[in-house]
Amino acid sequence: MSILYFSRYALLEMLLTQQLQSRNIPLQSITLSNISLNNLLIRDLSLGARKELQIEQIDIGWNLSGLIKGELETVSINGVAILLDLSGNQPVLGSLHSITASSNDNKGDHSALLLPAISRLQTDIAFRSEQGDLRINLSGKINPREALDQEVLIDFRIAGFSLETNGQFNATIDAMQMILGRVMITDGSISRPELEIAQFNGEATFK
């Protein structure tokens, strides 16, 4: 057991590398800063031939009793930058296109919608392209399953492409892995030469 403990950094890095290679996702860099009984800290993650995905820090916290039930206490993802190709000549995610291809292949796989319970989720994402940048801030939680249903509650802020908006995203994944949700815009604005809206709000449901 002591050998496994002192080798935990190398073992986890090898496992992550193998998982990425199996999906044909190029790994540029990764630093495992901390692995303990209640925390995993990853820094300087860079994926893709052109570093299409870069993450400064991923901080995941849990307690052992919750982890056994598939629950996490906190997930904080900071400094996320995603490079997009919107020219139409290449895949939007470049060398990371296999990520979306894998998601499409699993559309009929119910396990693809099983989410870990997260008491506090926080992340900020910057999408970058030659056409402009878009930043999204997310905060919320994913509740544990109750009676085979699971609820996702997310507050969001979007800024970019002359759009600014705040809102909420609520969704329920039912026993059949169907998603029922609602998106609410509480405060939005658009400022473009051809269109200017000082304030708008509204909501939409989907399934």
Side-chain angles (χ1 to χ4, degrees):
M1 291 297 293
S2 60
I3 295 176
L4 291 175
Y5 178 80
F6 289 110
S7 303
R8 65 192 188 282
Y9 289 90
L11 290 173
L12 181 56
E13 183 172 342
M14 180 178 67
L15 178 62
L16 292 173
T17 301
Q18 289 177 345
Q19 289 295 315
L20 292 170
Q21 289 177 343
S22 69
R23 295 173 177 266
N24 296 317
I25 300 174
L27 172 64
Q28 298 288 351
S29 66
I30 185 173
T31 300
L32 302 178
S33 295
N34 184 59
I35 306 172
S36 68
L37 293 177
N38 59 8
N39 178 258
L40 171 63
L41 181 60
I42 300 174
R43 299 183 188 273
D44 303 323
L45 176 63
S46 179
L47 302 178
R50 298 175 55 204
K51 299 182 178 180
E52 288 94 340
L53 173 61
Q54 298 184 69
I55 303 177
E56 292 180 3
Q57 178 174 292
I58 302 174
D59 192 350
I60 303 174
W62 62 84
N63 61 63
L64 289 179
S65 61
L67 188 62
I68 292 174
K69 296 184 292 184
E71 300 175 6
L72 301 174
E73 284 192 342
T74 61
V75 175
S76 178
I77 307 175
N78 298 318
V80 182
I82 301 175
L83 179 63
L84 303 178
D85 188 331
L86 303 180
S87 65
N89 300 322
Q90 302 289 337
V92 173
L93 291 177
S95 63
L96 301 182
H97 66 90
S98 60
I99 295 177
T100 55
S102 298
S103 299
N104 290 333
D105 292 342
N106 291 332
K107 279 185 177 180
D109 183 2
H110 288 173
S111 64
L113 295 177
L114 296 177
L115 302 176
I118 301 175
S119 300
R120 184 170 62 86
L121 171 67
Q122 187 278 324
T123 186
D124 60 277
I125 307 172
F127 295 92
R128 297 171 180 167
S129 70
E130 294 183 356
Q131 289 74 21
D133 296 344
L134 179 70
R135 180 172 291 278
I136 300 178
N137 301 102
L138 305 174
S139 63
K141 62 181 179 178
I142 302 175
N143 289 330
R145 285 189 170 273
E146 294 184 3
L148 299 180
D149 288 350
Q150 187 171 30
E151 190 176 25
V152 180
L153 306 170
I154 301 293
D155 293 328
F156 63 83
R157 174 176 173 78
I158 301 174
F161 293 105
S162 303
L163 168 70
E164 289 191 16
T165 182
N166 297 308
Q168 295 178 330
F169 168 83
N170 300 338
T172 300
I173 304 173
D174 66 18
M176 298 300 295
Q177 304 302 307
M178 299 296 292
I179 301 177
L180 308 174
R182 180 173 64 169
V183 178
M184 294 168 286
I185 304 297
T186 57
D187 181 18
S189 65
I190 299 175
S191 179
R192 298 181 59 87
E194 68 276 14
L195 176 65
E196 184 161 349
I197 301 176
Q199 186 177 26
F200 67 87
N201 55 65
E203 65 178 69
T205 58
F206 63 90
K207 61 179 180 178

